[in-house]
PDB file of all heavy atoms in Angstrom:
ATOM      1  N   ASN A 221       6.949   5.455   1.159  1.00 96.00           N
ATOM      2  CA  ASN A 221       6.167   4.237   0.865  1.00 96.00           C
ATOM      3  C   ASN A 221       6.774   3.094   1.623  1.00 96.00           C
ATOM      4  O   ASN A 221       5.997   2.231   2.183  1.00 96.00           O
ATOM      5  CB  ASN A 221       6.207   3.935  -0.659  1.00 96.00           C
ATOM      6  CG  ASN A 221       5.276   4.826  -1.408  1.00 96.00           C
ATOM      7  OD1 ASN A 221       4.399   5.450  -0.908  1.00 96.00           O
ATOM      8  ND2 ASN A 221       5.577   5.030  -2.691  1.00 96.00           N
ATOM      9  N   ALA A 222       8.088   3.022   1.725  1.00 96.00           N
ATOM     10  CA  ALA A 222       8.682   1.877   2.488  1.00 96.00           C
ATOM     11  C   ALA A 222       8.350   1.963   3.926  1.00 96.00           C
ATOM     12  O   ALA A 222       7.982   0.937   4.556  1.00 96.00           O
ATOM     13  CB  ALA A 222      10.215   1.930   2.278  1.00 96.00           C
ATOM     14  N   MET A 223       8.472   3.142   4.545  1.00 97.00           N
ATOM     15  CA  MET A 223       8.150   3.280   5.962  1.00 97.00           C
ATOM     16  C   MET A 223       6.707   3.026   6.263  1.00 97.00           C
ATOM     17  O   MET A 223       6.364   2.436   7.304  1.00 97.00           O
ATOM     18  CB  MET A 223       8.643   4.679   6.432  1.00 97.00           C
ATOM     19  CG  MET A 223      10.136   4.840   6.530  1.00 97.00           C
ATOM     20  SD  MET A 223      10.573   6.416   7.324  1.00 97.00           S
ATOM     21  CE  MET A 223      10.412   7.531   5.928  1.00 97.00           C
ATOM     22  N   HIS A 224       5.851   3.453   5.371  1.00 95.00           N
ATOM     23  CA  HIS A 224       4.393   3.284   5.585  1.00 95.00           C
ATOM     24  C   HIS A 224       4.002   1.788   5.388  1.00 95.00           C
ATOM     25  O   HIS A 224       3.084   1.307   6.076  1.00 95.00           O
ATOM     26  CB  HIS A 224       3.573   4.180   4.734  1.00 95.00           C
ATOM     27  CG  HIS A 224       3.531   5.597   5.238  1.00 95.00           C
ATOM     28  ND1 HIS A 224       2.367   6.103   5.758  1.00 95.00           N
ATOM     29  CD2 HIS A 224       4.435   6.564   5.340  1.00 95.00           C
ATOM     30  CE1 HIS A 224       2.590   7.351   6.176  1.00 95.00           C
ATOM     31  NE2 HIS A 224       3.877   7.644   5.897  1.00 95.00           N
ATOM     32  N   LYS A 225       4.684   1.107   4.468  1.00 94.00           N
ATOM     33  CA  LYS A 225       4.344  -0.261   4.181  1.00 94.00           C
ATOM     34  C   LYS A 225       4.753  -1.150   5.319  1.00 94.00           C
ATOM     35  O   LYS A 225       4.051  -2.111   5.674  1.00 94.00           O
ATOM     36  CB  LYS A 225       5.037  -0.684   2.886  1.00 94.00           C
ATOM     37  CG  LYS A 225       4.717  -2.138   2.468  1.00 94.00           C
ATOM     38  CD  LYS A 225       5.374  -2.480   1.163  1.00 94.00           C
ATOM     39  CE  LYS A 225       5.057  -3.909   0.738  1.00 94.00           C
ATOM     40  NZ  LYS A 225       5.706  -4.249  -0.565  1.00 94.00           N
ATOM     41  N   ASN A 226       5.895  -0.827   5.978  1.00 96.00           N
ATOM     42  CA  ASN A 226       6.373  -1.665   7.030  1.00 96.00           C
ATOM     43  C   ASN A 226       6.962  -0.824   8.157  1.00 96.00           C
ATOM     44  O   ASN A 226       8.217  -0.729   8.321  1.00 96.00           O
ATOM     45  CB  ASN A 226       7.442  -2.657   6.480  1.00 96.00           C
ATOM     46  CG  ASN A 226       7.829  -3.742   7.476  1.00 96.00           C
ATOM     47  OD1 ASN A 226       7.324  -3.795   8.609  1.00 96.00           O
ATOM     48  ND2 ASN A 226       8.792  -4.570   7.103  1.00 96.00           N
ATOM     49  N   PRO A 227       6.150  -0.157   8.923  1.00 95.00           N
ATOM     50  CA  PRO A 227       6.611   0.764   9.988  1.00 95.00           C
ATOM     51  C   PRO A 227       7.391   0.079  11.081  1.00 95.00           C
ATOM     52  O   PRO A 227       8.167   0.717  11.767  1.00 95.00           O
ATOM     53  CB  PRO A 227       5.373   1.373  10.495  1.00 95.00           C
ATOM     54  CG  PRO A 227       4.256   0.453  10.200  1.00 95.00           C
ATOM     55  CD  PRO A 227       4.661  -0.232   8.934  1.00 95.00           C
ATOM     56  N   ALA A 228       7.137  -1.234  11.317  1.00 96.00           N
ATOM     57  CA  ALA A 228       7.758  -1.913  12.396  1.00 96.00           C
ATOM     58  C   ALA A 228       9.192  -2.338  12.085  1.00 96.00           C
ATOM     59  O   ALA A 228       9.988  -2.753  12.960  1.00 96.00           O
ATOM     60  CB  ALA A 228       6.936  -3.127  12.852  1.00 96.00           C
ATOM     61  N   HIS A 229       9.549  -2.301  10.871  1.00 97.00           N
ATOM     62  CA  HIS A 229      10.905  -2.699  10.392  1.00 97.00           C
ATOM     63  C   HIS A 229      11.957  -1.752  11.023  1.00 97.00           C
ATOM     64  O   HIS A 229      11.713  -0.585  11.203  1.00 97.00           O
ATOM     65  CB  HIS A 229      11.031  -2.681   8.870  1.00 97.00           C
ATOM     66  CG  HIS A 229      12.307  -3.081   8.361  1.00 97.00           C
ATOM     67  ND1 HIS A 229      12.704  -4.417   8.427  1.00 97.00           N
ATOM     68  CD2 HIS A 229      13.351  -2.424   7.743  1.00 97.00           C
ATOM     69  CE1 HIS A 229      13.946  -4.499   7.879  1.00 97.00           C
ATOM     70  NE2 HIS A 229      14.343  -3.302   7.457  1.00 97.00           N
ATOM     71  N   ALA A 230      13.119  -2.323  11.354  1.00 96.00           N
ATOM     72  CA  ALA A 230      14.197  -1.530  11.931  1.00 96.00           C
ATOM     73  C   ALA A 230      14.964  -0.776  10.855  1.00 96.00           C
ATOM     74  O   ALA A 230      16.112  -1.063  10.511  1.00 96.00           O
ATOM     75  CB  ALA A 230      15.149  -2.441  12.739  1.00 96.00           C
ATOM     76  N   TRP A 231      14.270   0.266  10.290  1.00 97.00           N
ATOM     77  CA  TRP A 231      14.866   1.007   9.185  1.00 97.00           C
ATOM     78  C   TRP A 231      16.036   1.795   9.634  1.00 97.00           C
ATOM     79  O   TRP A 231      16.115   2.312  10.764  1.00 97.00           O
ATOM     80  CB  TRP A 231      13.800   2.030   8.608  1.00 97.00           C
ATOM     81  CG  TRP A 231      12.657   1.359   7.903  1.00 97.00           C
ATOM     82  CD1 TRP A 231      11.369   1.216   8.385  1.00 97.00           C
ATOM     83  CD2 TRP A 231      12.693   0.702   6.650  1.00 97.00           C
ATOM     84  NE1 TRP A 231      10.634   0.550   7.435  1.00 97.00           N
ATOM     85  CE2 TRP A 231      11.375   0.225   6.360  1.00 97.00           C
ATOM     86  CE3 TRP A 231      13.717   0.547   5.684  1.00 97.00           C
ATOM     87  CZ2 TRP A 231      11.043  -0.414   5.195  1.00 97.00           C
ATOM     88  CZ3 TRP A 231      13.382  -0.119   4.521  1.00 97.00           C
ATOM     89  CH2 TRP A 231      12.046  -0.630   4.273  1.00 97.00           C
ATOM     90  N   SER A 232      17.054   1.882   8.750  1.00 97.00           N
ATOM     91  CA  SER A 232      18.189   2.805   8.913  1.00 97.00           C
ATOM     92  C   SER A 232      18.195   3.697   7.693  1.00 97.00           C
ATOM     93  O   SER A 232      17.572   3.483   6.704  1.00 97.00           O
ATOM     94  CB  SER A 232      19.453   1.992   8.984  1.00 97.00           C
ATOM     95  OG  SER A 232      19.776   1.415   7.716  1.00 97.00           O
ATOM     96  N   LEU A 233      18.922   4.811   7.840  1.00 97.00           N
ATOM     97  CA  LEU A 233      19.020   5.741   6.705  1.00 97.00           C
ATOM     98  C   LEU A 233      19.660   5.082   5.516  1.00 97.00           C
ATOM     99  O   LEU A 233      19.246   5.295   4.362  1.00 97.00           O
ATOM    100  CB  LEU A 233      19.824   7.024   7.126  1.00 97.00           C
ATOM    101  CG  LEU A 233      19.941   8.111   6.101  1.00 97.00           C
ATOM    102  CD1 LEU A 233      18.531   8.612   5.699  1.00 97.00           C
ATOM    103  CD2 LEU A 233      20.789   9.277   6.584  1.00 97.00           C
TER     104      LEU A 233
END
Side-chain angles (χ1 to χ4, degrees):
N221 286 339
M223 288 187 280
H224 280 252
K225 183 178 180 179
N226 191 359
H229 182 70
W231 292 106
S232 66
L233 185 58

